[in-house]
Amino acid sequence: MSEFDLIRAFFTDIGPKRADVALGVGDDCALLALPEGQCLAVSIDTLSAGIHFFPDCAPEAIGHKSLAVGLSDLAAMGAAPAWSTLALTLPSADQAWVRAFSAGFAALSKTHGIRLVGGDTTRGPLSVTVQVHGYVPVGAAVRRDGARPGDLVCVSGTLGDAGLALRGLLAGEAVDPALRRRLEYPTPRVELGLRLRGLATAMIDLSDGLAGDLGHILAASGVGAELDLVHLPLSPPVADVVARTGDWSLPLSSGDDYELCFCLPAERAREVRELGAGLDCPIRTVGRIRAKAGLACRLPDGGLYATDGSGYDHFAAGGDAARLIALRDKSRISAATQSLHSQPSAR
Ligand code: ADP
Ligand code: MG
């Protein structure tokens, strides 16, 4: 299959048709109409084989996740998804792989009404870059810099599930399918993000762990926070690891949760809990913003838990960089057995 055949077969009709797309895939540019009074919210993310996913990861999952991470960014601003673009670098024109990737991307596009309007298809080491575009009324976006002392700190869903799945996969263990889904098919909290406009004072999506990501809110807002670890929402397997080891790094500093962390005035706590219940997305108050800088994590026994507050950093020398190195080693092994990497190119 040629590059153009691939595009025609798998990328010309992804997501619902939209009135704000005057021209989509097929010309030199897409033509898009941003409605009056709306700001364009834009975010781009790259997923590279061996760093963000195992090279033998199911292509549907890669298609899903490459869009999910962008949708999660839109959610964290309170923006409504509208358009996506996709830059796909493939080792070869493996039709079955691209079909499955496209199916994963298309299913999530449909769920959120986002239309694929263009992209680029090239040959090289497997890598997927997705840009998402959404809109949010002028002045209504929820930024990182609005947290105020006294605000509550809330999170959606449960924390550390993807991190636990990743740990298991890296150790070569069998991983519970539900846990693995949390890593490979994250659920972007788009509807919740939209409903938090005018309610949340600051918001971020959790891609690198609560401690580090909340740290970005604190830095941008010029405040600190105290977290009550006993209130962190944990699934049974993560709660079990924490109980057995006393190590809170899974819920505090493992990546890929794609839940929302947000702040809001204390008097609106009930409103937001009801909102979560209505969306079938539990929301938990986990701490409070304070004037004093820094993040204090209070243990169930009242003591303080030491965290350096850093999340996953691609260029860090130690700590979580071990994850990157481990993934790379694993990917070398997988690459040798991966048909995608050994097939001659059709291009
Ligand atoms: P050009 O050379 O003018 O940049 P391309 O040959 O790269 O155009 O792409 C042709 C058309 O197909 C363009 O409209 C482009 O946006 C679209 N396209 C290319 N790759 C993809 C893809 N992976 N997903 C969606 N659209 C794509
Ligand atoms: Mg091009």
Side-chain angles (χ1 to χ4, degrees):
M1 254 192 155
S2 79
E3 171 190 341
F4 297 107
D5 292 337
L6 274 182
I7 297 168
R8 202 173 306 116
F10 300 119
F11 297 112
T12 45
D13 189 18
I14 289 195
K17 294 196 169 60
R18 295 177 56 108
D20 53 15
V21 179
L23 191 61
V25 171
D27 213 313
D28 295 307
C29 291
L31 298 174
L32 309 165
L34 185 68
E36 180 103 32
Q38 302 281 329
C39 245
L40 185 62
V42 179
S43 174
I44 187 165
D45 280 286
T46 295
L47 301 188
S48 297
I51 294 174
H52 301 93
F53 56 87
F54 299 109
D56 54 357
C57 177
E60 292 94 329
I62 299 171
H64 173 100
K65 190 163 179 176
S66 64
L67 180 61
V69 299
L71 289 170
S72 180
D73 282 327
L74 291 179
M77 298 303 287
W83 316 304
S84 67
T85 48
L86 164 66
L88 192 55
T89 303
L90 300 168
S92 73
D94 180 335
Q95 227 188 110
W97 193 96
V98 178
R99 175 180 295 115
F101 171 90
S102 162
F105 195 98
L108 191 64
S109 298
K110 188 175 170 202
T111 301
H112 294 286
I114 187 169
R115 178 78 173 170
L116 179 66
V117 297
D120 197 25
T121 306
T122 54
R123 191 175 162 196
L126 180 59
S127 167
V128 185
T129 298
V130 175
Q131 184 155 31
V132 292
H133 311 73
Y135 20 108
V136 54
V138 173
V142 186
R143 301 159 37 144
R144 297 179 180 183
D145 59 4
R148 294 293 170 260
D151 282 357
L152 302 179
V153 178
C154 301
V155 296
S156 64
T158 53
L159 305 179
D161 300 326
L164 184 56
L166 180 64
R167 261 189 205 177
L169 291 175
L170 287 172
E173 296 163 0
V175 174
D176 174 65
L179 212 54
R180 187 167 178 159
R181 263 195 92 76
R182 293 278 289 154
L183 175 68
E184 296 183 336
Y185 290 87
T187 304
R189 303 295 188 182
V190 174
E191 187 57 34
L192 176 62
L194 287 173
R195 304 281 287 274
L196 285 170
R197 280 182 196 161
L199 196 55
T201 53
M203 180 151 58
I204 192 167
D205 70 316
L206 298 177
S207 52
D208 298 323
L210 176 62
D213 288 330
L214 174 58
H216 296 311
I217 287 185
L218 303 183
S221 302
V223 294
E226 189 165 315
L227 290 182
D228 275 315
L229 299 186
V230 73
H231 292 317
L232 295 187
L234 308 181
S235 65
V238 171
D240 181 57
V241 171
V242 171
R244 274 192 294 110
T245 62
D247 178 2
W248 290 81
S249 63
L250 270 181
L252 283 179
S253 44
S254 64
D256 285 338
D257 284 326
Y258 298 106
E259 296 296 345
L260 293 177
C261 171
F262 53 93
C263 304
L264 79 166
E267 64 269 19
R268 308 197 72 172
R270 224 188 72 192
E271 214 174 314
V272 90
R273 259 199 314 277
E274 285 168 8
L275 173 62
L279 294 173
D280 200 21
C281 170
I283 290 169
R284 202 58 98 63
T285 297
V286 296
R288 203 178 261 271
I289 298 293
R290 63 181 189 185
K292 186 179 169 213
L295 179 66
C297 296
R298 199 154 294 285
L299 287 159
D301 69 7
L304 282 180
Y305 181 79
T307 166
D308 65 357
S310 64
Y312 181 66
D313 177 347
H314 280 270
F315 297 105
D320 267 336
R323 166 180 151 183
L324 180 64
I325 292 158
L327 262 172
R328 275 200 180 138
D329 290 342
K330 176 110 181 175
S331 67
R332 271 195 216 107
I333 300 161
S334 310
T337 57
Q338 244 292 315
S339 64
L340 184 64
H341 293 256
S342 50
Q343 272 181 8
S345 170
R347 277 186 63 194

